[in-house]
Every structure is written in C-alpha cells, then in structure tokens.
C-alpha cells in the first residue's frame, strides 16, 4: 500500500510539471541592452552598440506542454544561458539561466509572434526578445544577435513552425466542431443525407453512353477526313480550277551534215492557213 501511495504521489507531481522538449540549440548568441522603442518603425540594431554585447552565451528554444500528448502545441520558451565554472570539477562548466521569453499563442490568440519576438529593420541576424520574470511577471525587451546567418534562419524557422502548428490545430478544432454540429442536426431532424443529398449518377436500364474519340464515332468507323480548303488567289470565296499543263513540244535535232530545217511536231494547227502555205511555197522554191 505504501508503494502504491508513493507511486500515486509521484505521478501527481509529474503530471503537474510541464513537459519540456528542446527544439533548437544555438551554441553562441550575443545579448544587448536595448533602448525603448520610440517610433512605430521598429527596432534598429545599429543603435545597440553591437561591438559591446552585455553577454555572450547560448540560446535554446524549448517546447512547453502541460499534457503528455506530443501532437499538441502548448507554448514556447526562448531561454538564454550563460556559463560559469563548475565547482569541484576543473574544466567543467555549468549553464546558468540568464533570461527567458515565454511565448503562448494559444492562451493569447489576440497576439502575434511579433509581440514576443520582433525582427529589426536593418539586419536579418538581430531580434528584440520580450523576456519576462516568472515570479514578478515584469517584462523587458533585450536584443539578441547571432554571428552566423544560418543560426538566425534556424531561429526564425522554429518560431514559424510553432505558429503554423497553432494555426493547424485551430483549423482542426473548427472542423471537428462543424462535424459535431452536422451530426447533431442529423440526429435531431432526420438523417444527414436529408441535409446533403447524394445524386445518383448510375446508368438506368437501357441507357447507353456514346463516346467520340478523335473524330471517330462510337460504332468504330473510320474518322472523317476534314475537307481541305483550296487557297484562293484573292480575298473572295470563289474556287478556281488549276491552270492546264503546258504543251509538251519537242523539236528533233537535225542530223549531221543535213541542212534541212526540222519541222515542229505536235504543234497545234492554226486557223489561218494562207500565211503558212505561202511560207512553205517559198521554202519549196528555194
């Protein structure tokens, strides 16, 4: 019985403690004390004194969940650590929490990520982080920067993944509520099919489907040939016959040593034969 009571007490303590999981760990970051924002334009890293950081430490992005479900998005905690020598162990270092920035978009749906982590307007490697004291609840903005641009990109991507997970959870909750409302309507006034009837697209007895593929009818005949349009000479729509082929006239060459003039063959006869007879008469006299 004592073991059972101890197990119950330990399980209660474990359930009360939030579950934390490391999403991102960056080995080097620079922390700056930044002035208050005086304009709506945004923070500028050039006014922070980038060559004199207040602290050089490392940064972690932790996922904090009150339940044991790994698929549920709870809140984030951006934590900045400094190091100090570990007592009694030469060369060893201990992590000391310097500041923490809790981010909870589920409990504060009216806030955006920019209210917790704001990018500066003159660089892609520096951010203004809203840190909060867990005991007093007071908050202050500190500047955070990274030496490598890839570290800044990983930090920003981790925050964007959290925002996307919260949005997808809200959409899933909305779909579940709509499905529950539709089921309630179906149980109260009839069936769900009455609300959204399904159309019957099946073929009735005796009905057929005619399909025309590539100009070919359903009966399997050959495709009809398209009529070719003859090119017209002008802009009108008259169709002209093609011109007749030219006459095939062949004139034989004279034999060697013969002075006679070759007569054309296959020459069409002329209607006016008088002029031709006179010419041939002169030829005979000669």
């Amino acid at each position: 019985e004592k073991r059972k009571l101890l197990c119950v007490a330990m399980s209660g303590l474990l359930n009360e403690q939030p579950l934390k999981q490391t999403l991102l760990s960056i080995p080097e970051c620079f922390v700056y004390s930044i002035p208050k924002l005086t304009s709506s334009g945004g923070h500028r890293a050039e006014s922070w004194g980038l060559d004199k950081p207040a602290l050089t430490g490392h940064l972690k992005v932790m996922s904090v969940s009150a339940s044991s479900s790994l698929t549920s998005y709870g809140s984030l905690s951006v934590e900045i650590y400094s190091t100090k020598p570990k007592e009694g162990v030469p060369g060893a270092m201990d992590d000391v929490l310097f500041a923490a920035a809790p981010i909870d978009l589920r409990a504060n749906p009216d806030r955006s990520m920019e209210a917790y982590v704001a990018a500066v307007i003159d660089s892609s490697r520096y951010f203004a982080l809203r840190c909060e004291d867990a005991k007093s609840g007071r908050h202050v903005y500190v500047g955070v920067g990274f030496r490598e641009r890839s570290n800044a990109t990983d930090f920003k991507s981790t925050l964007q993944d959290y925002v996307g997970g919260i949005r997808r959870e809200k959409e899933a909750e909305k779909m579940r509520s709509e499905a529950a409302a539709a089921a309630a309507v179906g149980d109260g006034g009839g069936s769900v099919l009455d609300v959204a009837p399904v159309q019957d697209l099946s073929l009735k007895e005796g009905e057929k489907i005619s399909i025309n593929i590539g100009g070919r009818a359903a009966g399997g005949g050959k495709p009809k040939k398209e009529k070719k349009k003859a090119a017209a000479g002008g802009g009108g729509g008259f169709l002209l016959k093609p011109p007749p082929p030219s006459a095939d006239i062949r004139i034989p060459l004279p034999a060697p040593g013969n002075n006679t003039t070759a007569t054309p063959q296959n020459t069409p006869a002329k209607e006016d034969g008088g002029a031709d007879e006179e010419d041939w008469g002169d030829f005979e006299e000669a």
Side-chain angles (χ1 to χ4, degrees), residues 116-130:
Y116 299 96
V117 181
V120 299
I121 61 177
D122 57 345
S123 177
S124 62
R125 295 186 290 115
Y126 296 89
F127 304 86
L129 193 62
R130 184 182 184 273

Side-chain angles (χ1 to χ4, degrees), residues 122-143:
D122 57 345
S123 177
S124 62
R125 295 186 290 115
Y126 296 89
F127 304 86
L129 193 62
R130 184 182 184 273
C131 296
E132 183 177 333
D133 186 4
K135 295 180 180 180
S136 63
R138 299 177 61 182
H139 69 273
V140 64
Y141 282 90
V142 299

Side-chain angles (χ1 to χ4, degrees), residues 186 189-197:
S191 62
V192 182
L193 296 178
D194 297 336
V195 180

